């Protein structure tokens, strides 16, 4: 028993020493770990502050119009704030950056939350192609401004954009301007509608040629002229368009005996091409034409039906044939159709490149 007591007395100080030593080591380890964590935290804080300072500096440059800063800031925000990225890419696009244009197309293509994202993507794609001088894209871009598709409405810019490509000879743009101006009642707009109808007719667009005949017949944007109305209606009638053949009959009727004969022939052709509304006019003309001439006129009409059915008709061939048969002094337009208008439209918007200078508003 004494030995056990003695051993305990001897071991106690040793045990206490070991425990104190172990506790000190643990405290040192914990302190070392804490110092390491503090150091890492401080390092991260320094890096974060540095990045924030760098981002703030980049933002200041971007706001001042620095292109590379705008592009860099937009790229940084793509995954954390896509809307913010779009705004900075738009700012860069205002400076004509191709990178920004393509990025905007991509971001809108990937945006499934915005119901107008597809239109906005098409808008920016049109901006890209417009910068490259593609006439169809310039025309589509102008319509987007007018119709507020993918961008804010800007009718003036839309008309200016379309006018530029129309002046360059793009027929779809000419037809659009013709219809757009005609839809307004303003006299000046009717004059412009006539001008663009004339430009499209110059390219042998059937609808524009027929519309031009209507302009001359009713004096829409131009002084009335029966001879010019007849020519443009008959130009389309030669193309075997039944509605134009009927229109040619209408404009010829009542001018003279020769014109009545020609009117009957066009009405006959229109009926042969399935336009039932021309029946009434043909029957009316039958009653007005001298009986001794009617059989001859009907014979000419039947021969023309067969001729136009089986063969491609050469431009002006039918018109010249009718002029010769019925001694009609037919009108033919001059080579320069703009001189045909008899006026100058001074305030037509001049052509301007619509790509880089268009406002970024989508």
């Amino acid at each position: 028993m004494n030995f056990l007591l003695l051993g305990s007395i001897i071991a106690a100080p040793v045990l206490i020493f070991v425990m104190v030593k172990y506790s000190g080591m643990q405290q040192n380890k914990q302190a070392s770990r804490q110092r390491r964590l503090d150091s890492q935290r401080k390092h991260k804080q320094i890096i974060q502050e540095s990045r924030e300072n760098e981002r703030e500096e980049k933002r200041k440059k971007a706001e001042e119009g620095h292109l590379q800063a705008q592009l860099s800031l937009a790229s940084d925000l793509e995954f954390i704030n896509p809307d913010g990225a779009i705004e900075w890419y738009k700012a860069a696009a205002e400076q004509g950056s191709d990178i920004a244009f393509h990025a905007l197309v991509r971001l809108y293509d990937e945006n499934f939350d915005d119901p107008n994202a597809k239109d906005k993507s098409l808008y920016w794609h049109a901006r890209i192609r417009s910068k490259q001088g593609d006439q169809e894209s310039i025309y589509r871009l102008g319509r987007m401004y007018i119709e507020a598709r993918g961008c804010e409405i800007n009718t003036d810019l839309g008309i200016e954009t379309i006018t530029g490509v129309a002046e360059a000879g793009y027929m779809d743009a000419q037809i659009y301007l013709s219809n757009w101006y005609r839809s307004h009642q303003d006299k000046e707009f009717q004059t412009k509608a006539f001008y663009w109808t004339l430009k499209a007719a110059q390219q042998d667009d059937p609808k524009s040629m027929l519309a031009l005949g209507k302009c001359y017949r009713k004096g829409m944007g131009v002084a009335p002229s029966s001879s010019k109305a007849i020519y443009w209606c008959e130009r389309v009638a030669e193309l075997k368009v039944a509605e134009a053949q009927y229109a040619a009959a209408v404009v010829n009727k009542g001018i003279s005996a020769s014109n009545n004969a020609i009117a009957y022939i066009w009405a006959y052709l229109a009926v042969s091409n399935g336009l039932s509304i021309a029946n009434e006019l043909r029957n009316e003309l039958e009653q007005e034409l001298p009986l001794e001439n009617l059989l001859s006129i009907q014979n000419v009409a039947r021969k023309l039906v067969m001729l136009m059915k089986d063969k491609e008709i050469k431009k002006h061939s039918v018109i010249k044939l009718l002029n010769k048969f019925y001694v009609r002094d037919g009108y033919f337009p001059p080579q320069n159709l703009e001189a045909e208008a008899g006026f100058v439209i001074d305030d037509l918007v001049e052509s301007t490149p619509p790509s880089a200078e268009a406002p970024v508003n989508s």
Side-chain angles (χ1 to χ4, degrees):
M1 185 62 119
N2 291 332
F3 286 106
L4 287 173
L5 180 61
L6 181 61
S8 297
I9 293 171
I10 295 172
V14 175
L15 183 59
I16 292 170
F17 175 78
V18 171
M19 291 177 64
V20 170
K21 188 70 174 176
Y22 178 77
S23 176
M25 290 175 63
Q26 290 298 109
Q27 288 178 357
N28 288 337
K29 283 183 179 181
Q30 187 174 357
S32 177
R33 188 183 303 113
Q34 186 62 45
R35 285 193 299 271
R36 189 165 57 254
L37 289 173
D38 290 342
S39 176
Q40 290 175 350
R41 192 177 297 112
K42 187 174 182 180
H43 182 67
K44 286 181 180 179
Q45 184 179 357
I46 292 172
I47 292 175
Q48 185 176 353
E49 288 176 355
S50 176
R51 287 177 178 173
E52 288 178 357
N53 290 335
E54 182 182 345
R55 192 178 298 115
E56 185 60 29
E57 182 66 24
K58 190 186 296 183
R59 181 180 295 276
K60 287 181 180 179
K61 286 185 177 181
E63 289 173 348
E64 292 169 357
H66 191 278
L67 178 60
Q68 292 304 317
Q70 292 171 344
L71 292 172
S72 178
L73 198 56
S75 179
D76 292 345
L77 292 172
E78 278 198 28
F79 295 105
I80 58 175
N81 183 2
D83 290 339
I86 284 173
E87 292 307 311
W88 284 114
Y89 277 131
K90 285 181 182 178
E94 286 182 340
Q95 301 194 58
S97 167
D98 288 335
I99 294 174
F101 282 117
H102 286 281
L104 285 164
V105 171
R106 174 172 51 80
L107 287 176
Y108 280 123
D109 279 342
E110 296 170 354
N111 190 331
F112 301 104
D113 297 323
D114 185 348
N116 298 315
K118 183 177 180 180
D119 280 344
K120 291 176 181 178
S121 174
L122 291 173
Y123 166 78
W124 287 105
H125 186 263
R127 290 284 301 274
I128 292 170
R129 297 284 291 153
S130 294
K131 283 189 67 179
Q132 298 166 355
D134 181 71
Q135 290 188 332
E136 181 183 356
S137 296
I138 296 172
Y139 166 63
R140 286 193 290 106
L141 181 63
R143 292 194 59 170
M144 286 177 174
Y145 287 130
I146 295 169
E147 298 163 13
R149 285 190 293 114
C151 59
E152 294 179 5
I153 189 168
N154 191 332
T155 302
D156 289 343
L157 179 60
I159 293 299
E160 178 182 342
T161 301
I162 295 174
T163 298
V165 73
E167 287 285 17
Y170 190 67
M171 190 169 68
D172 285 353
Q174 295 170 344
I175 294 170
Y176 181 88
L177 289 172
S178 169
N179 293 329
W180 189 86
Y181 282 119
R182 189 171 291 113
S183 67
H184 298 75
Q185 298 304 313
D186 184 272
K187 183 178 179 181
E188 180 185 348
F189 279 18
Q190 291 303 307
T191 300
K192 291 184 178 183
F194 170 80
Y195 175 82
W196 289 115
T197 304
L198 186 70
K199 295 286 281 186
Q202 189 174 9
Q203 300 197 59
D204 293 339
D205 175 63
K207 289 184 178 180
S208 297
M209 289 191 289
L210 192 56
L212 192 60
K214 184 178 179 181
C215 288
Y216 279 121
R217 182 186 172 207
K218 296 191 174 182
M220 297 165 54
V222 67
S225 169
S226 59
S227 62
K228 293 174 183 179
I230 287 171
Y231 169 79
W232 288 107
C233 289
E234 289 187 349
R235 268 290 287 116
V236 189
E238 281 187 327
L239 302 176
K240 309 173 190 179
V241 179
E243 292 78 5
Q245 291 169 342
Y246 176 70
V250 170
V251 295
N252 272 287
K253 183 179 181 294
I255 295 176
S256 69
S258 293
N259 286 96
N260 278 349
I262 294 170
Y264 178 86
I265 291 170
W266 284 123
Y268 191 101
L269 288 167
V271 172
S272 298
N273 283 325
L275 190 67
S276 58
I277 192 176
N279 258 316
E280 183 179 348
L281 178 59
R282 184 185 66 172
N283 293 337
E284 183 182 333
L285 286 162
E286 279 184 354
Q287 301 302 317
E288 295 180 10
L289 289 168
L291 186 59
E292 62 271 17
N293 296 336
L294 183 58
L295 292 177
S296 172
I297 295 168
Q298 288 175 333
N299 187 45
V300 173
R302 281 193 292 269
K303 287 183 177 180
L304 275 176
V305 168
M306 298 304 297
L307 178 68
M308 297 178 74
K309 181 180 179 181
D310 299 332
K311 295 182 180 180
E312 183 177 345
I313 302 302
K314 186 179 179 181
K315 180 178 177 180
H316 293 155
S317 60
V318 176
I319 297 175
K320 289 179 178 179
L321 180 68
L322 293 174
N323 287 347
K324 182 178 180 180
F325 270 24
Y326 297 102
V327 195
R328 181 181 65 170
D329 292 328
Y331 157 85
F332 291 93
Q335 200 70 20
N336 181 2
L337 270 181
E338 291 191 36
E340 168 75 2
F343 58 86
V344 178
I345 302 176
D346 294 323
D347 56 349
L348 279 175
V349 182
E350 294 183 358
S351 174
T352 53
S355 51
E357 298 182 22
V360 177
N361 51 14
S362 67

